[in-house]
Amino acid sequence: MFIGGLSWQTSPESLRDYFSKFGEITEVMVMKDPTTRRSRGFGFITFGDPSSVDKVLAQGTHELDGKKIDPKVAFPRRAHPKVSENIC
């Protein structure tokens, strides 16, 4: 899942702690700026069971570290090749 609207203070550990109530988490990433190492305000979570995603979406509003966060279904980039690469 894509998780948008994260607080600058949100760590991978706090993200895992929050979402683990919906199911087993196999991977957590908080994206950081490569130069400043500061959070970019979004991250990704991978659940072991896809039905956990439905549980997250069914809850509606989510709040973590004092901010309303925005979880969405994420699709791997490789599953969506750029159309422009195939145009002559």
Side-chain angles (χ1 to χ4, degrees):
M1 294 192 81
F2 168 85
I3 313 296
L6 296 178
S7 164
W8 306 124
Q9 289 80 32
T10 300
S11 67
E13 294 78 22
S14 62
L15 200 57
R16 179 183 295 274
D17 288 346
Y18 179 81
F19 282 99
S20 64
K21 64 185 172 189
F22 298 101
E24 178 194 355
I25 295 173
T26 58
E27 187 175 17
V28 176
M29 290 186 289
V30 172
M31 304 311 289
K32 296 187 181 228
D33 181 282
T35 307
T36 64
R37 303 300 302 152
R38 184 175 164 178
S39 170
R40 293 177 60 198
F42 69 95
F44 295 92
I45 294 175
T46 304
F47 285 103
D49 181 354
S51 69
S52 298
V53 173
D54 296 328
K55 293 176 189 173
V56 172
L57 297 175
Q59 181 172 316
T61 305
H62 296 273
E63 190 175 309
L64 178 62
D65 293 330
K67 284 195 72 183
K68 183 179 175 188
I69 58 174
D70 187 20
K72 296 180 180 177
V73 176
F75 298 97
R77 282 190 177 172
R78 65 184 172 275
H80 300 285
K82 292 181 182 175
V83 175
S84 60
E85 292 175 356
N86 299 324
I87 298 175
C88 297

